[in-house]
Amino acid sequence: MKQTVDLYSPRSPEQIARKLKAIMADPMDGAKARVIGSGTQELVVLRYARRNRQDAMAPILDAAMEPYEGGTRITGTLGPSPIGRWFPVFWFGFLSIFVVVGVAVMWLVPGTVPFGLIFAGVPIFMMIIGGFVFRKPAGKSDDGEQILAFLRRELDTRPIA
């Protein structure tokens, strides 16, 4: 689920770009997790990364920056990346083809029930596992909050009311 972000920082877009570039250049070798990303004076993309763990389903901040009342307005969305949104659709769609073929073979060709059960059963099992993997673990992913906390800490951001 995407969350709309509308923040204000007293720093100029140029200052923000320089600060983010300096932070991203620091390897932070001892850190177990950190905010990483890229950006310019107009755009910023940030995500929270953990050492030795890749998660395409993790939320990212995709925002635009513009001068606003002596500082910068950062507007965008915080939510899953495009691959994080579309991969489950492709996963379940692809596996559905095998389920349909397995059921059709079982139904239309006499004596193929064991083959059809296996041909449809394995993808159904993979869909069940995918359902557990792709669902958002309740209360366990605070990546979005970590990104917002990073912005508050490093760029002095606050919500625009």
Side-chain angles (χ1 to χ4, degrees):
M1 192 68 149
K2 285 203 173 246
Q3 171 188 352
T4 302
V5 174
D6 194 6
L7 303 170
Y8 172 79
S9 173
R11 300 169 188 257
S12 71
E14 294 80 15
Q15 290 173 325
I16 289 175
R18 281 193 299 273
K19 175 126 179 149
L20 288 176
K21 185 176 180 180
I23 291 170
M24 299 308 146
D26 182 2
M28 294 187 187
D29 294 328
K32 292 185 181 185
R34 66 176 280 194
V35 173
I36 62 171
S38 62
T40 64
Q41 297 170 2
E42 294 89 24
L43 299 171
V44 64
V45 178
L46 299 173
R47 69 182 182 88
Y48 189 70
R50 290 177 174 80
R51 188 172 298 284
N52 299 324
R53 180 175 167 223
Q54 286 188 326
D55 186 1
M57 310 300 270
I60 62 168
L61 172 70
D62 190 5
M65 296 190 299
E66 60 186 24
Y68 180 78
E69 296 183 2
T72 302
R73 185 174 191 170
I74 302 170
T75 55
T77 57
L78 181 63
S81 66
I83 194 165
R85 287 190 308 269
W86 287 104
F87 183 75
V89 173
F90 291 124
W91 176 262
F92 289 108
F94 179 72
L95 291 175
S96 295
I97 295 168
F98 291 95
V99 172
V100 169
V101 169
V103 170
V105 167
M106 247 183 359
W107 186 265
L108 299 174
V109 180
T112 58
V113 172
F115 170 78
L117 286 174
I118 292 171
F119 202 81
V122 170
I124 289 172
F125 176 72
M126 292 171 70
M127 291 169 119
I128 292 168
I129 297 300
F132 286 112
V133 170
F134 297 137
R135 72 177 169 81
K136 181 181 179 219
K140 290 190 178 178
S141 178
D142 66 343
D143 292 359
E145 288 303 317
Q146 293 289 343
I147 294 169
L148 294 175
F150 168 81
L151 292 173
R152 281 190 301 271
R153 184 177 61 248
E154 299 295 336
L155 305 178
D156 305 317
T157 61
R158 58 179 160 76
I160 294 179

